Amino acid sequence: MAPAVHPSSSSCLTSEADEKYANVNWEELGFTLIPTDYMYVAKCKQGESFSEGKIVPYGDISISPSAGILNYGQGLFEGLKAYRTQMGRITLFRPEQNALRMQMGADRLCMTPPSVDQFVDAVKQTVIANKKWVPPSGKGALYIRPLLIGSGAVLGIASAPEFTFLVYVSPVGNYHKVSSGLNLKVDHTYRRAHTGGTGGVKSCTNYSPVVKSLREAKSAGFSDVLFLDAATGRNIEEVSTCNIFIVKGNIVSTPPTSGTILPGITRKSISELARDIGYRVQERDVSVDELLEAEEVFCTGTAVVVRAVESVTFYDTKIKYITGEKALSTKLHVMLTNIQMGVVEDTKGWMVEINDTIG
Amino acid sequence: MAPAVHPSSSSCLTSEADEKYANVNWEELGFTLIPTDYMYVAKCKQGESFSEGKIVPYGDISISPSAGILNYGQGLFEGLKAYRTQMGRITLFRPEQNALRMQMGADRLCMTPPSVDQFVDAVKQTVIANKKWVPPSGKGALYIRPLLIGSGAVLGIASAPEFTFLVYVSPVGNYHKVSSGLNLKVDHTYRRAHTGGTGGVKSCTNYSPVVKSLREAKSAGFSDVLFLDAATGRNIEEVSTCNIFIVKGNIVSTPPTSGTILPGITRKSISELARDIGYRVQERDVSVDELLEAEEVFCTGTAVVVRAVESVTFYDTKIKYITGEKALSTKLHVMLTNIQMGVVEDTKGWMVEINDTIG
Ligand SMILES: Cc1ncc(COP(=O)(O)O)c(C=O)c1O
Ligand SMILES: Cc1ncc(COP(=O)(O)O)c(C=O)c1O
């Protein structure tokens, strides 16, 4: 029933960690999986709590065909990054926020989550074990994917009797292939989430349903899809894997996190940075009409960081927005990445340093 | 990346099949997993089609931690039953309907489905391999669970590069523990599906989101949950794993399959049987008000077959309905199970016999 894992060998860990970098072409990083050396696995029975997991070689897991995740979509994921600063330190961006978001999701899907400390510790251990896969400063980041899945077998619809918490990583560069702004299509057929559903948590169930919309948009030349609310179809919600902001004058607006959009950690951080430089940030319903009248539009997320939107297409209307040097998103991107890359002092206490002696 | 399977041993198959029944207490069957001897596994790369799969020993599969099913919920399931008739034949109920429904779901989730013939053949092979697990006539049925999952590894949101089609089985009795009618709670907080989502296909993404609602209702003493439509919250949709009908006079009404409820095969068959005996069957929006004024309410599904609803609770209102001998649902239950168990002639061509020489 349970994913079978092999015990880790710490001598092997040490010797491999001696080489500074893995054999990767760092100039060509995109957002595709590059398997690394190790992953973290912990298990927990329903009604109990997670005990210490293990660093094991990265590879296939063994799971029951009747597992909750395979049959009923009982799974959550997270996404965060480890950065190599210019001074060579390895850091994480607000990992406790991802831990807390996984706890909210676990409550929604009736799963047992790891504690915040367990989560952060597992992430750190996984990064240290895969240290040589953290790209050189400025070339990308190590994307970290924590998973919490119902791994126990169930037949009738119910929570699985066993959960597995797993962390794997992959070095990544840009999420979208284009280097300029995004060209978004407003989807007027598919909806992502509804009130009373799971749109507000990072449940696996929110993702396969958007693949079709994304595929159709990409084959028509768009970078990504912007979803409208399921209730009225009048307000914008978010893009397949990032949150959205519109800018008009001194006001920056973004849809509220009232259960149908993901409470992005980048969204929250960028809102704070925009306020710091004197913008008014409003979390409120944003209609399609307002979107079409905005001066600037941008997206935020761990994978995309801060990305300007170059155009939005709604039926036959295509609107272009400010991008490039004059755009607020460019300024916010610099502010955020300067903190993440250790270029400026982290006065907010957002960065967590990974200390090699942990794990 | 791909689930690893062991080659089947046909000599072993034959010798085990010699004993007529597995060692199961047939009187105590519920709806929990009883692992059997064999399962069916086939694989297919994206852009290709499924070739012949294999019967292998039932057991854990090996899968990439980055598989589409584990990260993004890219999975569909089906549910059907094999029956042992009074004459000892083993039959299936409309399996091609499940195959077609899997194809609709695969289209929605951008997956490659098996062909109808492959699906039905795989189901037959799996039942034959597990023949001794088909309960004695009248004691239950062999529940068959076909799965189609994104088994290939992906990092960005996209369809997986490989799909796995897997069929496993478990002997089952009653889905709900009670033997009388169901006591349903109308959920006024959680919603199951929205227009533009995946509610109309048997996607794994529709199930973990209902576990919380179900758990709350069960701990308050209800048998199951009845969901309302996400758009208005005024109309009834379906129960967590079955469709719903209301009866008033000569009219039997059930919500339409317009994308937010599962097009149940039992629903379709029961509609036909009700028409056969002179009822008018209407597929249309059914409001909560109408539900509360109905004379009789019942549910249909592969797992529940046809089950009378004894009561519905909406906030503080609890309504009771006709159950027992006078109920239409009792009549329809007999009509359907008589066909399924071979007690009456199958004039509709619904039953498919499993011929031992197949596979
Ligand atoms: C649907 C969705 N919205 C928004 C985000 C952005 O969240 P965060 O900034 O925490 O990465 C993500 C991805 O992480 C996402 O999947
Ligand atoms: C949500 C839901 N509705 C209805 C049904 C009934 O469909 P069928 O009669 O094909 O089993 C099922 C289960 O199969 C289901 O999961």
Side-chain angles (χ1 to χ4, degrees), chain B residues 101 192 202 207 238 240-243 262 264-266 301-302:
Chain B
R101 191 164 63 187
R192 183 184 170 276
K202 215 163 161 67
Y207 294 85
E238 61 180 327
S240 67
T241 58
C242 44
N243 294 113
L262 195 76
I265 296 160
T266 322
T302 297

Side-chain angles (χ1 to χ4, degrees), chain A residues 33-36 58-63 70 168, chain B residues 1-5 43-45 61-70 149-155 160-164:
Chain A
L33 187 77
I34 298 179
T36 68
Y58 176 82
D60 290 2
I61 61 170
S62 174
I63 193 167
L70 301 184
Y168 67 89
Chain B
M1 316 276 144
V5 294
K43 280 173 226 166
C44 149
K45 299 252 168 279
I61 61 169
S62 173
I63 192 167
S64 167
S66 321
I69 181 69
L70 301 184
I149 58 178
S151 48
V154 269
L155 192 62
E162 184 204 71
F163 306 111
T164 296

Side-chain angles (χ1 to χ4, degrees), chain A residues 108 193-199 258-260, chain B residues 187 189-193 209 227 230:
Chain A
R108 181 64 185 82
H194 60 273
T195 303
T198 55
S258 45
T260 54
Chain B
D187 196 317
T189 306
Y190 301 108
R191 300 283 183 259
R192 183 184 170 276
F227 290 100

Side-chain angles (χ1 to χ4, degrees), chain B residues 56-252:
Chain B
V56 299
Y58 176 80
D60 290 1
I61 61 169
S62 173
I63 192 167
S64 167
S66 321
I69 181 69
L70 301 184
N71 293 261
Y72 302 132
Q74 195 184 29
L76 298 164
F77 71 96
E78 270 302 331
L80 67 164
K81 283 176 175 169
Y83 308 88
R84 199 182 288 268
T85 68
Q86 289 181 329
M87 302 302 287
R89 292 178 300 127
I90 295 179
T91 58
L92 299 169
F93 182 67
R94 311 185 79 175
E96 75 294 345
Q97 296 289 322
N98 298 88
L100 290 167
R101 191 164 63 187
M102 181 169 272
Q103 297 197 336
M104 281 174 39
D107 179 66
R108 181 63 184 83
L109 295 191
C110 298
M111 303 173 83
T112 305
S115 71
V116 172
D117 284 352
Q118 279 171 329
F119 180 102
V120 174
D121 183 58
V123 164
K124 287 180 176 173
Q125 285 190 47
T126 316
V127 173
I128 291 169
N130 294 290
K131 207 172 150 184
K132 63 181 182 178
W133 298 92
V134 184
S137 195
K139 301 291 181 200
L142 188 68
Y143 182 76
I144 304 159
R145 171 60 56 89
L147 285 182
L148 179 65
I149 58 178
S151 48
V154 269
L155 192 62
I157 312 293
S159 183
E162 184 204 71
F163 306 111
T164 296
F165 173 53
L166 192 152
V167 186
Y168 67 89
V169 297
S170 175
V172 296
N174 272 343
Y175 185 78
H176 290 98
K177 283 190 186 118
V178 293
S179 57
S180 51
L182 303 179
N183 293 296
L184 301 183
K185 178 191 163 187
V186 180
D187 196 317
H188 39 79
T189 306
Y190 301 108
R191 300 283 183 259
R192 183 184 170 276
H194 60 274
T195 302
T198 55
V201 297
K202 215 163 161 67
S203 161
C204 69
T205 59
N206 302 329
Y207 294 85
S208 67
V210 309
V211 168
K212 189 163 192 181
S213 164
L214 205 53
R215 180 179 280 192
E216 287 171 11
K218 286 194 174 170
S219 71
F222 295 101
S223 335
D224 215 320
V225 172
L226 172 56
F227 290 100
L228 301 179
D229 75 297
T232 71
R234 257 180 252 132
N235 298 318
I236 62 173
E237 293 222 308
E238 61 180 327
V239 177
S240 67
T241 58
C242 44
N243 294 113
I244 193 158
F245 288 78
I246 69 166
V247 187
K248 191 152 190 183
N250 192 41
I251 300 179
V252 179

Side-chain angles (χ1 to χ4, degrees), chain B residues 305-320:
Chain B
V305 193
V306 182
R307 276 305 283 277
V309 172
E310 195 172 296
S311 75
V312 160
T313 301
F314 181 58
Y315 289 97
D316 290 337
T317 310
K318 180 171 181 169
I319 307 285
K320 294 219 158 207

Side-chain angles (χ1 to χ4, degrees), chain A residues 247-266:
Chain A
V247 187
K248 192 153 188 182
N250 192 40
I251 300 179
V252 179
S253 309
T254 191
T257 52
S258 45
T260 54
I261 70 163
L262 195 75
I265 297 160
T266 322

